Structures are given as C-alpha cells and as structure tokens.
Amino acid sequence: PKITHRRLFFIIIIIAVAIKLSLFAFVVISAPEGKMLPDSYRNLELSGLLASKGVFALQDGNGKLIYETLRTPGYSCFLAIFHGLMKIPLNGIILIQIAMTLLTAFITYKTAIMIEPKIAFLSAVIILYDPPITIFSLTILTEALFLLFISLFMFFFVLYIKSKRAGHLILSAFVLAVSAYVRPVAYYLGFALFFFIFYANRKERFKKVFTHALIFILVVCGLLGAWHIRNHMRCNNFVFSSVENENSVKGLFKSYVRNTDPHTKGMAPLPYYINVSTRCFLSVMTRPGSLKYFKSHILTVIGKVLAYPWMVLWLAGFIWGIVKTRNNIYAQFMLFIIAYFIAASICALMWDVSERLRVPMMPFIAIISAYGWMSLFRKIGT
C-alpha cells in the first residue's frame, strides 16, 4: 500500500526518537560520565545553591558565598527546579532535554508552514536528525534549553513579520531576553534586531515601524537590565555577564598581536584576519559532530560515517537555499540570525569554535536548507 505523507512523517519521528533513546540508554548503561562535561559540574553547583539557598552563587571552603557573574541563571534555574526541587535524577533531566529537541523540531515545522508549507516536513527532519543537537541534548549543558527558546523566538518573530502585530513582536522580545539568560551569546541580538525591524517593515508607515522597534528594544532592555542591576548590587559590576572579559584573551579582536598560529605567522594584519575568520567559519559550519564524549570507539566511528553525509545533505540545500531565497524577507531574517551567531562565536572564541556553537543556528539553517532542496526538486522535475 502507498505510504501517505502523514504516515511517512510519523515513521521518521519514531525512528528519530528511537535513535535518541538508544543513545540515551547507552549513556546510562555504558558511559554515564559522558553526560558530564567540564561546564556541567559548575552548572550543577550553581543550581544546587539556587535550590537550597535561593542564591545564584558558589560557596568557598569556609561557606562564604561568591556571587556568580560569569554565567547567567537560566539553565541553573531549570536544573534547580527539576533536579533540585522536584528531585528528578540527571538521567531524567536528559530525557527532558531530549523532549525539548523534539519540541524544537515541532516549532521549526510550524514556523516553516508559515513561510512555505512544502518545506515544513524537511525542516523538521533536519532538526530531528542533526547529530550535534542530539549529542548535546545528552549532556548537562545549556544547548537543549537554549535551542528551545531560540526556536520559540524564531516562531514569534516570523509570526510578527507575517502579521505586523505588536503582540507577536513583544512575545518574540520576551523569549529572546529569556534565551540570553540561558546563554549570554544572545545578549546583543536584540539590539541588532532593532535595526532589522526597520528593514523588514520599510514599506510601512515610519511612525508605526519606529513604535514597534522601540517597544521591542524596551522589552529586551528592561528584562536584561534587571540582571545588570543584580550584578551591580551583588558584585559592584554593572555587566550582564563577565564572559566577555574571560574570552578577551582568546577572541578574534586584537588576536594579531598574540598570534601563535604557524599557518599565518608573518602575514600582514588584513590577510591574517581574513585567513583566521575563514578557517573559524568553516570550523563552525562544517564540523559534523562527534560521539567521542561517550567513550566508545565503535560508536565514534559509526557517528563519523553517518554524520559527514548528513552534513553534506543539509549544507548543500542550505547553500542553494541562500541563492534562491535572496529576496525573501523570511530567508533574510534567517540569514541575519545565522550571521549574528557566526560572528559572535568567532569574535568571542576564535579557535575554540566548534559544532556546539552551530546548535542554536540549526532551526534557521534547517528552513533555508529545506527551501533549497524544494527548489532543487522543482528544477529537476521541470
């Protein structure tokens, strides 16, 4: 019998869930340490004090509180509620994070439907099967929660572009600010989008557009400003996160004077920065993701064998999608967000960039890639 679209989608979801749960079972049984990376321990320590004492801080050997300004409290709040207060074990937290990735795929699907219904199916599939999304959802890290909020932001902002309603814009601003509390990399995105709102509504009345842009930035700044005030009161440091200071010694800015890279030694500044930026860009966009964290050679090899063709699949559609959607405002929005995350990642971390930093870009990449493949299929069919 002929397989319907709905039945095929259902089968693909079941297979994706089975893969994720199989990896989860492997982590629980054979590699329980795989869910813990260096940042995981600090996240758990912060969430423990948040749940027990209601403070976002660490404790020294004498019991003195050291208030945290490096990290933001979003993920720690999540852990404090579900792990600290509700007593859900860490394996249960991982299951919740897996569910978050499934919900992200659904949100991406619903967003794609608003843009072009024919790309919704493949957009969701790319999220469901993306290796880095699956891998980092199996660790006690911010990725799954941040991905969920970024996809929600995408949904509401696309809804705003479509409807031009201020309510949808306010929702997008709220979710974006919340996402910055999970990962500070989203901090400057609101300021960048202030200008994109003018571009997206350039055919509308200026007064209306200015009002919308002002409302958006006020909501974002108001919510982010609360944490600035907290840090000033607790630590006399009026910053949202001190991560910028931590990353200043490894970021792109002023890296020429501390360059130790043998491939660019002796280069003039301009060729050096072009070379380094290009290589970092390729690192972010073309690393397929690795299962090395789970300490299994066989699993690592299988992951590499499957991950590279998968990466080529979505990347080919993404490149063609950029070519075919250059005048589409929705695609321009997607590319704007992708460009922001790439630039922020390279400027902050330079050689430390990896596929992990591509995870929050994937809902946007998936929609453009699906559009590209739809265009290719149409071209082949004509």
Side-chain angles (χ1 to χ4, degrees):
K2 186 178 180 180
I3 298 178
T4 63
H5 249 80
R6 182 172 293 184
R7 188 178 178 187
L8 178 61
F9 198 14
F10 182 73
I11 291 169
I12 286 173
I13 292 172
I14 292 297
I15 293 171
V17 172
I19 291 170
K20 292 174 186 290
L21 292 181
S22 297
L23 286 171
F24 167 75
F26 179 85
V27 170
V28 171
I29 297 167
S30 301
E33 72 282 1
K35 64 176 172 284
M36 302 296 291
L37 295 180
D39 285 347
S40 305
Y41 298 99
R42 182 61 63 91
N43 288 329
L44 285 171
E45 191 177 353
L46 287 166
S47 69
L49 279 172
L50 196 57
S52 61
K53 297 180 181 294
V55 293
F56 188 60
L58 300 171
Q59 219 166 8
D60 65 16
N62 298 318
K64 181 184 176 182
L65 292 176
I66 305 168
Y67 291 98
E68 178 77 0
T69 60
L70 177 63
R71 289 166 180 79
T72 44
Y75 188 63
S76 295
C77 286
F78 165 74
L79 290 176
I81 293 168
F82 290 98
H83 181 59
L85 299 177
M86 297 177 65
K87 306 301 180 185
I88 296 174
L90 291 182
N91 289 333
I93 298 298
I94 298 297
L95 282 175
I96 293 173
Q97 291 182 173
I98 290 171
M100 287 177 180
T101 66
L102 299 176
L103 183 55
T104 297
F106 176 73
I107 293 167
T108 303
Y109 177 83
K110 297 296 287 185
T111 305
I113 283 178
M114 287 191 285
I115 299 169
E116 167 56 70
K118 292 181 180 179
I119 67 172
F121 175 77
L122 184 54
S123 298
V125 169
I126 291 172
I127 299 299
L128 286 171
Y129 286 90
D130 183 63
I133 289 177
T134 297
I135 291 165
F136 290 109
S137 70
L138 297 170
T139 58
I140 302 300
L141 293 173
T142 59
E143 267 60 39
L145 185 61
F146 186 60
L147 177 67
L148 177 61
F149 281 122
I150 284 296
S151 65
L152 271 173
F153 155 72
M154 175 183 70
F155 173 80
F156 286 124
F157 201 89
V158 167
L159 201 56
Y160 165 70
I161 293 174
K162 197 173 186 69
S163 69
K164 309 297 183 185
R165 292 181 181 176
H168 296 144
L169 187 65
I170 291 170
L171 284 171
S172 73
F174 175 80
V175 176
L176 179 61
V178 171
S179 75
Y181 276 89
V182 179
R183 288 272 297 278
V185 67
Y187 178 82
Y188 293 107
L189 185 52
F191 301 97
L193 283 164
F194 174 81
F195 298 101
F196 186 84
I197 290 168
F198 284 96
Y199 173 76
N201 297 297
R202 57 194 180 278
K203 295 180 182 179
E204 301 287 328
R205 289 182 297 108
F206 179 80
K207 184 179 179 181
K208 177 183 176 181
V209 177
F210 178 77
T211 302
H212 283 192
L214 186 62
I215 290 171
F216 180 84
I217 201 66
L218 286 176
V219 172
V220 172
C221 288
L223 292 170
L224 297 182
W227 199 246
H228 279 272
I229 294 169
R230 177 266 185 191
N231 287 341
H232 178 68
M233 291 175 64
R234 291 295 194 188
C235 309
N236 199 30
N237 191 5
F238 196 72
V239 296
F240 185 72
S241 167
S242 58
V243 70
E244 283 188 56
N245 296 330
E246 294 285 326
N247 290 337
S248 61
V249 295
K250 55 184 176 182
L252 182 65
F253 293 123
K254 299 182 180 180
S255 63
Y256 182 76
V257 296
R258 60 177 191 272
N259 180 32
T260 58
D261 174 43
H263 300 289
T264 53
K265 274 291 185 183
M267 278 189 180
L270 182 59
Y272 162 79
Y273 280 109
I274 293 172
N275 180 288
V276 169
S277 299
T278 302
R279 286 159 61 194
C280 291
F281 169 77
L282 291 173
S283 183
V284 171
M285 296 301 290
T286 62
R287 286 192 184 185
S290 173
L291 294 167
K292 63 183 180 181
Y293 305 107
F294 307 130
K295 313 297 182 185
S296 168
H297 177 69
I298 295 175
L299 200 60
T300 302
V301 171
I302 292 172
K304 286 183 177 179
V305 169
L306 297 176
Y308 277 103
W310 177 256
M311 184 198 69
V312 171
L313 178 72
W314 68 254
L315 192 57
F318 177 67
I319 292 169
W320 188 247
I322 292 173
V323 173
K324 299 303 291 184
T325 62
R326 57 186 179 273
N327 296 320
N328 184 307
I329 187 61
Y330 301 106
Q332 289 171 351
F333 164 64
M334 304 288 166
L335 288 171
F336 183 82
I337 302 300
I338 293 166
Y340 169 85
F341 278 120
I342 290 172
S345 300
I346 294 173
C347 289
L349 295 172
M350 202 167 74
W351 298 127
D352 287 349
V353 294
S354 67
E355 71 278 5
R356 181 182 171 187
L357 301 177
R358 193 175 66 242
V359 168
M361 306 179 209
M362 285 311 299
F364 307 92
I365 289 172
I367 288 174
I368 294 177
S369 180
Y371 198 101
W373 278 111
M374 183 190 74
S375 177
L376 280 170
F377 289 145
R378 283 177 176 171
K379 197 174 185 69
I380 292 168
T382 55

